[in-house]
Amino acid sequence: MPIPRRIILDTDTGVDDALAILLAMRSPELHVEAITAVSGNTHVDQAVRNILITLETLGIQDGPPVARGEEKPLVKPLFLADDVHGGDGLGGVTRLIKPDGAHLYTPPEGRVSRVSAVDLILDLVGRYPDELSLVPVGPLTNVAKAIIKNPVRMRKIREIVLMGGAFRVYGNMSPVAEFNIFVDPHAAQIVCDAGIPLVFVPLDVTMQAVLTAATIDRYAEANRVAAFVRDCTAHYVDFHRKRRDVDGCFLHDPLAVAVTFGEKLVRMTSARVNVETAGDLTTGMTVADLRSPSHDGLSPNARVCVDIDAPAFTQLFTERVLA
Ligand code: BDR
Ligand code: CA
């Protein structure tokens, strides 16, 4: 087995973010150096608690440092996704009660880094120049703030593999915008301009990565982690049934984690990606010419995932997280 790749997972810990943490911690190809929180699906303070609950479910006492990040986007007011992820970001699991009256899922105390997410990202890039991959699966506010603070150091990141964008498919926040980019488009444009190698894992591929309700049910009693997956996805699956016509849920964020070590799961094309920050109707749109060769005459700043081996990915997820 090659040396595990060092990553930082930056999450706005909603349901599929928690699933991404489970996959990252269960993947021997990765060494998770830190998990950082940002506001998005839920407020950053709840996002921190949800990271801790997820690590606790895995039985990890001495895991990677967990750091609190930015509370609101760079320019826009904060927009949360309670309808998709529940008021606590984890589909209401924090309200579940055991027969003895105690909460089923509670965050352990005292595990939060004293260093902010932005400073922890910069510290780790300084410690591991050209080695570290950053995997943001929420709005890009923490990453943009780190770039603003030290753009030279941030160019020592090996690559950023981010969940975000919608290129040849409709968005999930507007006809053209995906949630993570829509929430903080100004941050996303800063990331696009930073000169760091980028991989976009957009809705084009993540909406093909479906964990079926039948699979969740099949494993639910198998072990504590599978039971947590059932508990935290119940509301999320309900949303997908009612609003996405899917009997299960999209594995948006876990796919970004898997692409970090498993590029064979997807097909990518190089392009110059920009983000619409001004348009009334198009805010958060990811704009790129994905034709090969592209007709825009611009130098690429990213590789964009355009196709996925969905059965291979869902099998990987099921084996590592549920079984
Ligand atoms: C993205 O938005 C969030 O709701 C999910 O966690 C994912 O990161 C999908 O658009
Ligand atoms: Ca997310």
Side-chain angles (χ1 to χ4, degrees), residues 10-17 41 85 136-139 163 179-180 252-253:
D10 184 61
T11 108
D12 58 334
T13 329
V15 176
D16 62 320
D17 302 71
N41 290 326
H85 296 269
V137 293
M163 191 284 130
F179 179 83
N180 291 338
H252 302 289
D253 296 347

Side-chain angles (χ1 to χ4, degrees), residues 15-27 54 209-212 215-216 219 223 225-226 228-230 232-233 236 249-258 261 265 308-323:
V15 176
D16 62 320
D17 302 71
L19 303 184
I21 294 170
L22 297 176
L23 180 61
M25 298 306 296
R26 288 265 177 97
S27 291
T54 308
V210 175
L211 181 64
T212 64
T215 303
I216 295 170
Y219 289 95
N223 57 69
V225 171
F228 171 71
V229 171
R230 174 203 51 205
C232 77
T233 54
Y236 192 54
C249 59
F250 297 136
L251 293 172
H252 302 289
D253 296 347
L255 182 59
V257 167
F261 62 84
L265 293 168
I308 171 182
D309 183 346
F313 168 64
T314 44
Q315 186 184 345
L316 175 102
F317 181 86
T318 303
E319 285 171 2
R320 292 191 177 187
V321 174
L322 298 175

Side-chain angles (χ1 to χ4, degrees), residues 185-208:
H186 301 86
Q189 184 61 45
I190 287 171
V191 172
C192 286
D193 288 335
I196 304 166
L198 300 177
V199 173
F200 277 79
V201 184
L203 294 181
D204 305 55
V205 285
T206 65
M207 290 196 306
Q208 297 179 52

Side-chain angles (χ1 to χ4, degrees), residues 62-284:
D62 221 13
V66 173
R68 182 185 188 278
E70 297 301 306
E71 198 164 7
K72 53 185 178 38
L74 296 186
V75 178
K76 285 177 77 176
L78 179 58
F79 182 95
L80 302 174
D82 303 18
D83 55 334
V84 185
H85 296 269
D88 64 1
L90 284 185
V93 295
T94 55
R95 289 196 306 272
L96 296 179
I97 304 290
K98 293 193 275 195
D100 66 2
H103 286 276
L104 192 52
Y105 301 105
T106 43
E109 297 292 324
R111 277 270 287 110
V112 182
S113 165
R114 269 191 286 255
V115 177
S116 72
V118 168
D119 287 336
L120 185 59
I121 291 169
L122 285 168
D123 287 353
L124 285 166
V125 179
R127 198 178 313 164
Y128 303 114
D130 304 316
E131 264 188 63
L132 197 66
S133 296
L134 186 51
V135 188
V137 293
L140 290 157
T141 323
N142 288 342
V143 186
K145 283 265 174 129
I147 291 167
I148 292 166
K149 194 162 182 183
N150 195 334
V152 174
R153 169 123 23 121
M154 286 295 277
R155 279 199 283 276
K156 291 287 178 194
I157 287 183
R158 175 182 171 147
E159 69 179 352
I160 295 179
V161 182
L162 69 94
M163 191 284 130
F167 292 85
R168 290 168 167 161
V169 297
Y170 285 110
N172 55 7
M173 287 304 295
S174 77
V176 296
E178 179 279 328
F179 179 83
N180 291 338
I181 307 293
F182 176 86
V183 170
D184 199 342
H186 301 86
Q189 184 61 45
I190 287 171
V191 172
C192 286
D193 288 335
I196 304 166
L198 300 177
V199 173
F200 277 79
V201 184
L203 294 181
D204 305 55
V205 285
T206 65
M207 290 196 306
Q208 297 179 52
V210 175
L211 181 64
T212 64
T215 303
I216 295 170
D217 288 346
R218 189 176 320 132
Y219 289 95
E221 303 295 331
N223 57 69
R224 181 169 154 78
V225 171
F228 171 71
V229 171
R230 174 203 51 205
D231 292 344
C232 77
T233 54
H235 173 92
Y236 192 54
V237 167
D238 206 40
F239 170 86
H240 281 73
R241 283 186 179 132
K242 288 186 183 136
R243 303 277 298 279
R244 299 286 181 255
D245 204 18
V246 165
D247 191 19
C249 59
F250 297 136
L251 293 172
H252 302 289
D253 296 347
L255 182 59
V257 167
V259 168
T260 309
F261 62 84
E263 290 199 359
K264 286 200 182 123
L265 293 168
V266 291
R267 188 168 63 80
M268 302 188 201
T269 191
S270 295
R272 169 76 213 186
V273 179
N274 284 305
V275 174
E276 178 59 76
T277 54
D280 287 339
L281 297 174
T282 53
T283 302

